[in-house]
Amino acid sequence: MGTFKIEGGIQLKGDVQPQGAKNEALQILCAVLLTPEKVTINNIPDIIDVNKLITLLGNLGVKIKKNGHGSLTFQADDVNVGYLETEAFKKEGGSLRGSIMIVGPLLARFGKGYIPKPGGDKIGRRRLDTHFEGFINLGAKFRYEREDHFYGVESKGKLKGAYMLLDEASVTGTANIVMAAVLAEGTTTIYNAACEPYLQQLCKMLNSMGANIKGVGSNMLTIEGVDALGGCTHRILPDMIEIGSWIGLAAMTRSEITIKNVSWDNLGVIPSVFRKLGITLEQKGDDIYIPAHTNGYKIKTDIDGSILTIADAPWPGFTPDLLSIILVVATQADGDVLIHQKMFESRLFFVDKLIDMGAKIMLCDPHRAVVMGHNFKSQLKATVMSSPDIRAGISLLIAALSAKGTSTIQNIEQIDRGYERIDERLRALGANIVRV
């Protein structure tokens, strides 16, 4: 396993370009299975999770051509559906959470889709019911092999459009159902649909391929099925989670950083939540400028003076993927904040590592933690730690960059799953970080 050695307490400075969005890429890449024509995708992040999915598509028979950095052309004109029932696929598909989204396109175009229980972050139970209930509503038959945790859906004829009210506004569930419905007969209505920018991007891409999706950006999607889809060219948005990570990093290390080309219109409440922590960030064109917080940052209270609560919620609420970053940044703020992680019951369990570094955090239960900020009067101490998941990993990296002394982070493959060449990009800003 790889390791980072980080010398903390160094102020950074410079510009950084955010990578393409991981969560959008996983959806968009699966959509290439919906057409035999060429699909070119630009701004693909070079990270482990995305590269695993690209390899999986190649093993399914999708032709892949590299055009340049972050640009690939796919053509799924000779898909080997039989690969889905091999032992190799069971092992490969099980290592990646995003692999679940190949099921919808395969079911729509080939009448069958299989997947082993997907892997990914160990942040709590991540149910798949929404996906498969959606496929069943479209007329598919579901089967589950309990011994080897293998899921399957099959359809003898074309899928049939249907009305469905999703039991949760699942992003991957909505994406999967949308990709199945675009080739179904008749009209599909999805209520309580996720409406994140990345889901909007998927719908816009599908429409450019010839799909007929209305209500994009709302929680009710109406899809008129079409007979076939064509090719297209699509560009992935910058990663809002990485942008939030850079904001937190700049504040925590009291560094002057400009984040370039962030697509402000797609950031939602992210800038305002960081401002609630007292962090100054300015919009300069489509860039975010964060000045060096030499005097620290003060947490705002609620309007009646109550302790600030920051909680996750479905879009346009605050994304759960940034709560770990918010928590670590709050450890050096002036004031207190309650972090409420509603969606995953294990995501806050990395706080013990921050407590070992000297942070003042009270874990109330698996979903809530109160952070009492040091206001930089007591610097975090360097330590040895292991990255449990992508977002906790980058949070621990931010803590290490602000801490006094040399920290070691093990299991950095978890960070590499979501952040492209993070050590190289940090060194370009002046950080002292070495990959061992």
Side-chain angles (χ1 to χ4, degrees), residues 303-368:
I303 200 167
D304 63 353
S306 302
I307 182 173
L308 176 68
T309 297
I310 297 178
D312 57 338
W315 188 270
F318 190 65
T319 173
D321 282 347
L322 278 176
L323 275 185
S324 300
I325 285 91
I326 289 289
L327 188 148
V328 74
V329 173
T331 64
Q332 287 295 359
D334 178 5
D336 306 330
V337 61
L338 171 65
I339 305 295
H340 191 175
Q341 164 60 263
K342 299 174 184 174
M343 292 183 65
F344 302 110
E345 63 270 14
S346 302
R347 197 162 224 170
L348 295 182
F349 285 168
F350 77 101
V351 301
D352 61 329
K353 301 171 179 64
L354 296 175
I355 293 169
D356 288 345
M357 297 177 78
K360 292 169 67 177
I361 305 171
M362 181 171 66
L363 189 62
C364 308
D365 55 43
H367 294 276
R368 296 177 301 159

Side-chain angles (χ1 to χ4, degrees), residues 374-389:
H374 285 311
N375 192 21
F376 290 102
K377 292 176 181 175
S378 175
Q379 197 171 0
L380 296 181
K381 302 186 297 291
T383 188
V384 177
M385 46 198 161
S386 180
S387 173
D389 64 73

Side-chain angles (χ1 to χ4, degrees), residues 5 47-48 54 66 101 104 113 117 172 193 199 219 234 248 257 275 304 324 335 337 350 363 373 403 415:
K5 297 279 188 183
I47 55 178
I48 289 176
I54 292 170
K66 187 173 179 63
M101 286 180 289
K117 186 176 182 179
T172 55
L199 197 282
N219 69 345
H234 178 82
I257 292 177
R275 285 174 176 138
D304 63 353
S324 300
V337 61
F350 77 101
L363 189 62
I415 300 174

Side-chain angles (χ1 to χ4, degrees), residues 139-203:
K141 300 292 184 183
F142 171 73
R143 66 183 175 90
Y144 174 54
E145 297 173 12
R146 187 174 297 275
E147 287 186 7
D148 50 4
H149 300 289
F150 200 62
Y151 301 84
V153 279
E154 297 170 349
S155 174
K156 292 184 178 178
K158 288 199 75 170
L159 298 173
K160 307 291 184 183
Y163 171 88
M164 58 188 85
L165 173 59
L166 303 188
D167 60 346
E168 63 175 344
S170 164
V171 178
T172 55
T174 302
N176 228 345
I177 297 165
V178 166
M179 288 189 281
V182 290
L183 294 180
E185 287 183 353
T187 303
T188 299
T189 301
I190 308 173
Y191 193 27
N192 195 29
C195 50
E196 270 78 355
Y198 304 142
L199 197 282
Q200 297 176 38
Q201 285 283 98
L202 172 67
C203 292

Side-chain angles (χ1 to χ4, degrees), residues 45-361:
D46 183 12
I47 55 178
I48 289 176
D49 276 11
V50 169
N51 293 335
K52 278 185 176 182
L53 182 56
I54 292 170
T55 300
L56 175 56
L57 292 172
N59 290 339
L60 274 166
V62 178
K63 298 180 181 71
I64 304 171
K65 177 189 172 187
K66 187 173 179 63
N67 307 312
H69 179 70
S71 177
L72 295 172
T73 297
F74 300 85
Q75 188 167 17
D77 59 347
D78 188 22
V79 175
N80 176 18
V81 184
Y83 179 71
L84 297 173
E85 300 187 66
T86 64
E87 289 301 317
F89 172 69
K90 289 181 180 180
K91 182 177 180 181
E92 186 180 19
S95 68
L96 174 66
R97 177 73 190 173
S99 61
I100 181 63
M101 286 180 289
I102 67 170
V103 177
L106 290 171
L107 174 65
R109 191 166 159 218
F110 301 104
K112 61 174 69 174
Y114 308 125
I115 196 72
K117 186 176 182 179
D121 289 331
K122 308 304 181 190
I123 56 177
R125 193 169 70 97
R126 305 175 82 174
R127 60 200 293 275
L128 300 176
D129 300 51
T130 304
H131 300 250
F132 290 108
E133 287 172 2
F135 300 145
I136 292 167
N137 282 331
L138 294 172
K141 300 292 184 183
F142 171 73
R143 66 183 175 90
Y144 174 54
E145 297 173 12
R146 187 174 297 275
E147 287 186 7
D148 50 4
H149 300 289
F150 200 62
Y151 301 84
V153 279
E154 297 170 349
S155 174
K156 292 184 178 178
K158 288 199 75 170
L159 298 173
K160 307 291 184 183
Y163 171 88
M164 58 188 85
L165 173 59
L166 303 188
D167 60 346
E168 63 175 344
S170 164
V171 178
T172 55
T174 302
N176 228 345
I177 297 165
V178 166
M179 288 189 281
V182 290
L183 294 180
E185 287 183 353
T187 303
T188 299
T189 301
I190 308 173
Y191 193 27
N192 195 29
C195 50
E196 270 78 355
Y198 304 142
L199 197 282
Q200 297 176 38
Q201 285 283 98
L202 172 67
C203 292
K204 291 172 183 176
M205 172 182 164
L206 293 173
N207 280 343
S208 74
M209 296 167 70
N212 186 353
I213 307 171
K214 294 183 173 64
V216 178
S218 75
N219 69 345
M220 180 177 281
L221 298 174
T222 303
I223 304 162
E224 296 290 342
V226 297
D227 291 330
L229 296 180
C232 73
T233 298
H234 178 82
R235 182 173 181 81
I236 293 172
L237 287 175
D239 194 314
M240 70 170 80
I241 313 305
E242 198 199 43
I243 291 165
S245 303
W246 288 115
I247 295 171
L249 169 76
M252 188 81 167
T253 59
R254 297 199 266 192
S255 302
E256 182 183 355
I257 292 177
T258 298
I259 311 169
K260 308 291 289 184
N261 305 312
V262 300
S263 187
W264 265 90
D265 291 344
N266 290 295
L267 291 180
V269 300
I270 290 172
S272 65
V273 171
F274 279 101
R275 285 174 176 138
K276 286 180 180 179
L277 289 183
I279 295 169
T280 300
L281 48 95
E282 303 171 19
Q283 181 175 359
K284 295 189 174 182
D286 203 30
D287 302 342
I288 294 177
Y289 170 72
I290 305 109
H293 286 70
T294 52
N295 296 320
Y297 42 95
K298 184 177 178 63
I299 297 174
K300 297 178 181 178
T301 60
D302 284 344
I303 200 167
D304 63 353
S306 302
I307 182 173
L308 176 68
T309 297
I310 297 178
D312 57 338
W315 188 270
F318 190 65
T319 173
D321 282 347
L322 278 176
L323 275 185
S324 300
I325 285 91
I326 289 289
L327 188 148
V328 74
V329 173
T331 64
Q332 287 295 359
D334 178 5
D336 306 330
V337 61
L338 171 65
I339 305 295
H340 191 175
Q341 164 60 263
K342 299 174 184 174
M343 292 183 65
F344 302 110
E345 63 270 14
S346 302
R347 197 162 224 170
L348 295 182
F349 285 168
F350 77 101
V351 301
D352 61 329
K353 301 171 179 64
L354 296 175
I355 293 169
D356 288 345
M357 297 177 78
K360 292 169 67 177
I361 305 171

